[in-house]
Amino acid sequence: MKKFRKVLDGLTTSSPVNVGSAPVCSSTAGTPTAAVTPREIEVQETLVSENFQICKTVRHGFPYQPTALAFDPVQKILAIGSRSGGVRILGRPGVDCFCQHESGAAVLQLQFLINEGALVTACADDTLHLWNLRQKRPAILHSLKFNRERITFCHLPFQSKWLYVGTERGNTHIVNIESFVLSGYVIMWNKAIELSTKTHPGPVVHLSDSPKDEGRLLIGFESGTVVQWDLRVKKADFRIYYDEAIHSVSWHHEGKQFMCSHSDGSLTTWNLRNTSKPFQVTFPHGKAQRDGKKPESCKPILKVEYKTTRNSEPFVIFSGGLSYDKASRRPTLTIMHGKSITVLEMDHPIVDFLVLCETPYPNEVQEPYAVAVLLEKDFILVDLTQSSFPIFENPYPMDIHESPVTCTAYFADCPPDIIPVLYSIGAKHKKQGYSHKEWPVSGGTWTLGAQTYPEIIITGHADGSIKFWDATAITLQMLYKLKTSKVFEKPKAGEGRGAEMVEEDPYAVQMVSWCPQSRLFCVVGISAHVILYRLSKHDATTEIVSLEVRLQCDVEDVLSPCEAESTPGLSDQSSHSPQQAPASPGSVTPEGLRDSIPCLKVKNRPVRMPPGYQAELVVQLLWVDGEPPQQITSVDINSAYGLLALGNCNGLAVVDYLQKSILLCMSTLELYGSSDPYQRLTRSPRKNRQFTQDNFCMRGLSNFYSDSKKRIRTSYQSLTELSDNQVPLELERSRSPTSDHVNGHCTSPTSQPCVAGKPRVPGPEGPRLSRRGPGRPPFRKAQSAACMEISLPVSHTEESRENSFSRSRSSSVSSIDRETKEAVTTLRFMESCARKADTAPAPSLWVGTSLGVVLVIGLSIPADEEERLDEPVAVAPSGTVLMLKGSVLTFGSLDCGGSLIPSPYEVWRDPHAPEDPDRPRKRKLVNFSPSSSQEVAGDGHLAVVCSERQAKVFLMPAQTCLFVHNITESSFVLRSDVVSVCNSVCLACFCANGHVMTLSLPSLRPLLDVNYLPLTDMRIARTFCFTNGGQALYLSTPTEIQRITYSQEMCDNLQEFLGELFTPVETPEAQNRGFLKGFFGGNAQTFDREELFGEAAAGKASRSLAQHIPGPGGMEGMKAAAGGVVGDLARARIALDERGQRLGELEERTALMMSSAEAFSKHAHELMLKCKDKKWYQF
């Protein structure tokens, strides 16, 4: 039980605010009220630290930088390895597992133990790992580290426990899969080749046993040498020397011939009867020469597969091999079937491909039915059963990165009807032409968990597109795609403004704001524009309304302190209210500077919009005096109020989207009015404003993914960028011990050194820098980390500037530089008591700034619906100012009982639905006020404010700081949200040092603090977001979304949500090939590998060659560590069935033997009687 004292304002007569000092908790310009006796308020906090635990749940998307591919034809599951050491295992939809090697070494090759529930991975650190897939979370059972040789190729024969491992030195080693130790049997390269050979054959690039005889191993060396090694007699059957390097080898299922692919674009077919020369040499894409010479060389054929069918010609499928004169052509996969050659062009380079066949036995007719193609940025399956070779529709969300992801939003516990609506609309726009067959990767089992609720993930992309995803129950399926670029005219190639201003990604999405209840959707673009969308099930042809806002802070017009006190709350209409000024298509001043033009041009004609989200309003910031508009840093929308608010580093604008008018357009300084807590220094205006290319607001977001080539300026610097920044020696010496730097690295996004390579511009700041003294280095003022999505490329940030407001632990700063821009970092519409004198909550807008200031703006909204559409909404700053350390990130509202108060909203109605004369359409508003069941309902509410450094809980309207918690001193908070967990609320925070924290509300007790994810990439910070139910997500790689949970309850129930990778399936029986085929040598010969490779016959391998590392699961976990009771029962049932079947077969064989013995006895007795009386000469 937590108790706190609510101290109402007016206990003592308050004096007017002293603008010369910085208040600790709050300040106001309101009138003192009468004294009231304080009362005790009890808040029952149910959350404890035991309610929290952090763990990863599932990863969605395409594996980043894939390297290897494998398929289990019996279990029908697929594995993809990546360069960072990750392994994704995929089955039917819902069966999706991610495993990570701790070393982080690239995965070179994957080998399934077919139908055994295990996987072998070979990594670039020359280590083999055995993974147990018989549990929902796969674990490593064994590892084998090679010390002296590099692994190049692995091969595991079907139903064998001996793994062949080829190395860079050309040797072939053999590993026992069960014990994961090396056999003493080694095929040395110098024994495999002829003694007369003078050169090394190169690394082993292929290993396979003959389909005809498992005792013969085919070894392919990179130089072009192929050796068939007889494992029994330990010598080579034959050796092939070819001039061109070998990339891959593929057997015919009868074992009489095989095919090789070479570096010159040729395919050679070899017959075992005559290995002196190839049976056939073909250049599939080479131009034949007229004089009969060898065709010209082509690009290497990296891999070939030779598969047979019963009823038609065999398939020869390969990648590469195109002619060099077609350098501009895309990567291809060629399918040769009989005389027909089909070339499939791919969008991305081919990493690997596999042909999926009906049988796992290599000595049977393969019957291929699909080709799995792993590309650098995609994964496709080609249907081989149809002559047109269509692709299968991919059920996995592999196209998250279709355009680079620039922002994310996560909504849990959405209204249940929103997902079907979005799905039905999105289904109309799906691509056609897919194969009519079901997705062939159908292994594993997955069931929908009992405790599920609708979840939606929204991703914004660099090309301006928005994707809505159904994320219910750890799955991910795309619902609907929206293209924001359709709102604007396409810039013409010859048009001056378009060519100059627009770079690669002018429509890139910077942030989104979505109200699931009212279904209003707001998109902020990098070109300083905001688009408002409404959802409709009907198509419509409407004209998009465009509003232009001149939101720019002019230093020449900055007011002095005395002028500021006498200036009314609203700005001068002529200079700060662009709605009064006629909108012009753009102008150029006599000096050649652009003025009053937006970055993009909105379509000014009626536009036909299909069902779905339809644009209603576009708000654009304008160029001012040759300077581009600064990017928007915060946005909020409220359907109940009919208002939209947006802010940037210059100020704030409030738009009435019902009346399509601009209500407020102020600089941040003007919002203070007479309540400015700082003593601002005057400054002479700059004479010249040099405009540089870096000032453009359009910066290509896709360049972010090219690492260090073109980095977008962000509101803070990632760790990799910080290491490159050179801090001058004099600044290092003059650094204050209280400034926000640790070990020479900037830890706050608002106090950064100059970017390396960009010297400070000499100018009027020079003398001022020397006046500051040694206590504070002249760091430039940057923007807040609250605008995580994209940077604020402010024109002034490249200039020299003082760090006018330090984020240090010292709170003695009492004045700031007047020119320093105070960015609006967060906005929130909510019912609140804006002033101390207010007796009931009323509509208000809470504004948080980069200087840690909270401003409350009062809203007077007409209650009647007709008046709301005609009467103007009154907007005026209330004078309430609250203070925190660090840039403000998040607002929240609680009643005095500790329950969350959601923002009011308007119930959704289709704007283009047919009118019903009997039921006129009216707005239906839902308002959440403090609970009327509580005695303290009339005593106000609690406001939760979180900044980069602090979290505070204020009692409103008294504006008393009840609780304060310093979240971090050495780092800063990147993302924070007030979320619902376990039927209660808490404050969740993610810090730049990787810590994930939760704080109780309202007491701000630390409940969880885990060093989970060190910030190594800007992408993580920009996309990390929390949601209700104890869940969060972030973009772990440019192509993958990682979902995590910080709820103990969900961690405990996670096994119910995950799918089973392994299901008990009986291995198909081998075909009976018949007497004649076996008699004439067509049948495969089997042999006991244990006799050859076991310790008794081959001895022990050298200990220095490889080191065995036991896994966490241990050997006994291979068969016994099944993933769940259901799997155990199923396996036990299968085992009992198999045992009963074997017993039945034994009984039948026994009865057959008894009847045979009886028949033999009968025939013998008859023969004895027949011959009893005969003489010897009668025989």
Side-chain angles (χ1 to χ4, degrees), residues 23-28 836 881-883 954 958-961:
V24 177
C25 287
S26 63
S27 65
T28 182
K836 287 188 176 182
V881 179
L882 309 175
M883 295 292 299
F954 295 93
Q959 302 176 19
T960 306
C961 180

Side-chain angles (χ1 to χ4, degrees), residues 893-904:
S893 181
L894 308 176
D895 60 22
C896 289
S899 300
L900 184 67
I901 305 177
S903 297

Side-chain angles (χ1 to χ4, degrees), residues 315-367:
F315 281 91
V316 177
I317 304 171
F318 61 89
S319 60
L322 288 182
S323 176
Y324 279 106
D325 62 353
K326 299 176 181 177
S328 61
R329 290 187 60 175
R330 296 184 289 180
T332 60
L333 182 78
T334 304
I335 301 175
M336 299 173 62
H337 188 210
K339 295 183 179 180
S340 68
I341 300 179
T342 305
V343 180
L344 305 179
E345 290 191 344
M346 304 295 169
D347 293 331
H348 310 285
I350 298 174
V351 176
D352 196 3
F353 72 90
L354 289 175
V355 179
L356 310 188
C357 302
E358 296 287 352
T359 176
Y361 294 93
N363 58 351
E364 295 180 354
V365 179
Q366 298 297 286
E367 291 293 342

Side-chain angles (χ1 to χ4, degrees), residues 796-864:
H796 307 300
T797 56
E798 299 301 323
E799 302 173 2
S800 175
R801 179 174 302 137
E802 296 117 346
N803 181 23
S804 53
F805 182 82
S806 172
R807 302 291 180 85
S808 68
R809 289 168 286 282
S810 171
S811 59
S812 60
V813 180
S814 59
S815 65
I816 64 172
D817 176 10
R818 179 137 226 168
E819 190 192 327
T820 298
K821 292 190 175 181
E822 184 176 2
V824 176
T825 57
T826 185
L827 296 165
R828 172 76 183 274
F829 287 105
M830 59 182 177
E831 297 284 314
S832 173
C833 300
R835 299 174 178 82
K836 287 188 176 182
D838 292 346
T839 58
S844 61
L845 173 62
W846 286 57
V847 182
T849 74
S850 57
L851 299 187
V853 178
V854 178
L855 305 169
V856 184
I857 297 177
L859 308 172
S860 178
I861 302 174
D864 185 72

